[in-house]
Amino acid sequence: EKSGYPHFMLKEIYEQPRAVMETLYGALNDQLIPEAVKLLIDAGKIYVTGAGTSFHAAEHFSITGTKLAGKPIISFISSEYDTYLPATSEGDVLIVVSQSGETMDSLKALRAFKRRGARIISVSNVIDSAIPRESHITLYTRAGPEIGVAATKTFTTQTTLLTYLAVRLGEAVGRLDVGEGKEILGNIGSAGSLVKEALESAEKLAKKLATAISRSSSAYYLSRGVGVPVAKEGALKIKEVAYVHAESYPAGESKHGPIALVENSFPVVFVIPNDSYLEALLLGNIEEMKARGAYVVGVGPEGSRTMELLNEFIPVPKAHWALTPVTHTVPLQLLAYYAAVEKGFDPDKPRNLAKTVTVE
Ligand code: F6R
C-alpha cells in the first residue's frame, strides 16, 4: 500500500526517519552487538562485503571502522570475493551486508570465507533469509519491507547500524576519544530528526535540480573520504531509476583523467561531508570543475564554505562526519526519484532489474 504516495520509492524515502530509529532501538537492545564487537576485536583480519547499495554501506563501515577503531577493514564487492580468499584464514571475520539476505553473489562470498574458517557477521533486513541462516551472528536492520526496486531506507538503516557498531568497536579497543564517541552516539540517537530535516530541506531543490539533471546524458558524483560511498550511492540511484549515466569516484582523481570529459554545463554533484579537512580539499575540486564550465551542485552541511562556489547548494543538518550517509543521502535519493518522474519512468520498476538477485 502506497499510503497516498505516487510511488513506493517516495513512500520509502519518507519512511526513513522512522526506519533508522527503529533500527537503532533494535541495536541498543541487541545482545548480539557486544558479541559482534568481541568477534571483531579478536579478529585477525576484518573484511566487509555486499553488492550494489549494500556494498556502499559496507564501504561506509570500512571507512568508519578503520578511522574510529584504528583497525584496517577491507571492503570488497561480493562478486569479487575470489581475490581476497587466498588471504583469509581461521580467525578472520567477514561482515556480509544484504538487505534481502538472498543475494547469490554475497551468499557465495559468505560460504567461501566460512569454508576457510572465517567467522561471519551479517547485516540483513529479512529475518531468517539465506545469509542470516548461514551466519554466526546476524544484526538486523528494521526498515520494514522495501517494495521499490531501488534500495532507499535499507541503505540509511544499514549505515546507521554499522556506524553504531563502529563506535562500539572504537570504544572497546580504547581508540575512540570519549567525547567524540558521545558526540556520535548523540547524533545516532537523533538520526530520525536528522533525516527528517534533510528531507524538508531537500524536497524543493531536489525537484528543481532533477529537471536540469534529467536533461543530461551523463553526470559525475564526487566526494572524498566518508562521502565517497554516499556519492557512489547517489550515482547508482540516478542510473537505475532515471537512466542518466553517472560515474562516481574520489574527487582527487579528477585531474588524473575524468576531468577531460567536463565541458560547459556538465553536471557534477559534490557530496561535502561535515569535516573541515575534506571540505577544504573539495573546495579545490569544485573550483577545478567550475573552471571548465561544469554545473556544480553540492550537498553539504548548513553554512558550508563551498556554498558560494556552487551553482546550487542543498543544505543538510550538521552532524559528526561518521553520519554522512544519514544526513547526505536523502537529497540524492530525491534527485534520482524526481529525475525519473520528470522523464516519465516508473521509479518503482526500473528496466532490467529485480529486487532480489538470486543468480550469479
Ligand atoms: C540498488 C539495489 C541493488 C541492491 C543489491 C544488493 O538500489 O537495490 O544494488 O542493493 O542487489 O541487494 P541486497 O542488499 O538484498 O543483497
Side-chain angles (χ1 to χ4, degrees), residues 51-54 97-101 103 106 149-151 158 236-237 240 357:
T53 293
S54 290
V97 186
S98 175
Q99 183 282 124
S100 64
T103 299
S106 305
V149 165
Q158 286 165 343
L236 177 60
K237 286 295 90 105
E240 64 179 336
V357 186

Side-chain angles (χ1 to χ4, degrees), residues 22 42 74 93 98 107 112 138 161 164 173-174 230 323 337 355:
E22 302 226 324
D42 297 339
I74 304 154
V93 171
S98 175
L107 186 57
T138 300
L161 182 61
Y164 181 70
V173 296
V230 175
L323 278 96
Y337 171 78
K355 180 70 184 161

Side-chain angles (χ1 to χ4, degrees), residues 9 50-56 78 96-107 123-126 131 146 148-152 154-155 158 233 236-237 240-241 350 353-357:
M9 184 177 176
T53 293
S54 290
F55 169 67
H56 300 149
S78 58
V96 183
V97 186
S98 175
Q99 183 282 124
S100 64
E102 302 285 351
T103 299
M104 188 47 77
D105 288 327
S106 305
L107 186 57
V123 172
S124 181
N125 196 45
V126 180
I131 288 171
E146 192 174 62
V149 165
T152 52
T154 52
F155 178 69
Q158 286 165 343
E233 178 58 10
L236 177 60
K237 286 295 90 105
E240 64 179 336
V241 303
L353 296 178
K355 180 70 184 161
T356 306
V357 186

Side-chain angles (χ1 to χ4, degrees), residues 48-193:
V48 60
T49 194
T53 293
S54 290
F55 169 67
H56 300 149
E59 266 198 310
H60 177 71
F61 183 71
S62 150
I63 294 167
T64 46
T66 302
K67 293 197 79 166
L68 300 177
K71 268 180 165 302
I73 297 172
I74 304 154
S75 61
F76 62 87
I77 289 173
S78 58
S79 57
E80 290 287 318
Y81 74 87
D82 184 60
T83 302
Y84 297 88
L85 206 53
T88 305
S89 52
E90 195 92 19
D92 290 347
V93 171
L94 175 69
I95 303 176
V96 183
V97 186
S98 175
Q99 183 282 124
S100 64
E102 302 285 351
T103 299
M104 188 47 77
D105 288 327
S106 305
L107 186 57
K108 289 201 74 168
L110 180 161
R111 287 179 177 156
F113 272 64
K114 205 171 160 185
R115 273 197 297 275
R116 288 188 71 99
R119 310 293 286 175
I120 311 293
I121 300 172
S122 57
V123 172
S124 181
N125 196 45
V126 180
I127 290 174
D128 211 28
S129 49
I131 288 171
R133 277 202 305 272
E134 297 189 26
S135 305
H136 297 103
I137 292 179
T138 300
L139 307 174
Y140 285 104
T141 51
R142 299 181 182 209
E146 192 174 62
I147 312 290
V149 165
T152 52
K153 59 178 177 169
T154 52
F155 178 69
T156 41
T157 54
Q158 286 165 343
T159 47
T160 300
L161 182 61
L162 287 165
T163 306
Y164 181 70
L165 183 64
V167 173
R168 288 296 180 216
L169 178 63
E171 287 174 339
V173 296
R175 278 292 293 255
L176 183 59
D177 172 83
V178 176
E180 190 177 8
K182 274 200 179 140
E183 185 193 341
I184 307 174
L185 289 175
N187 284 169
I188 297 178
S190 52
S193 26

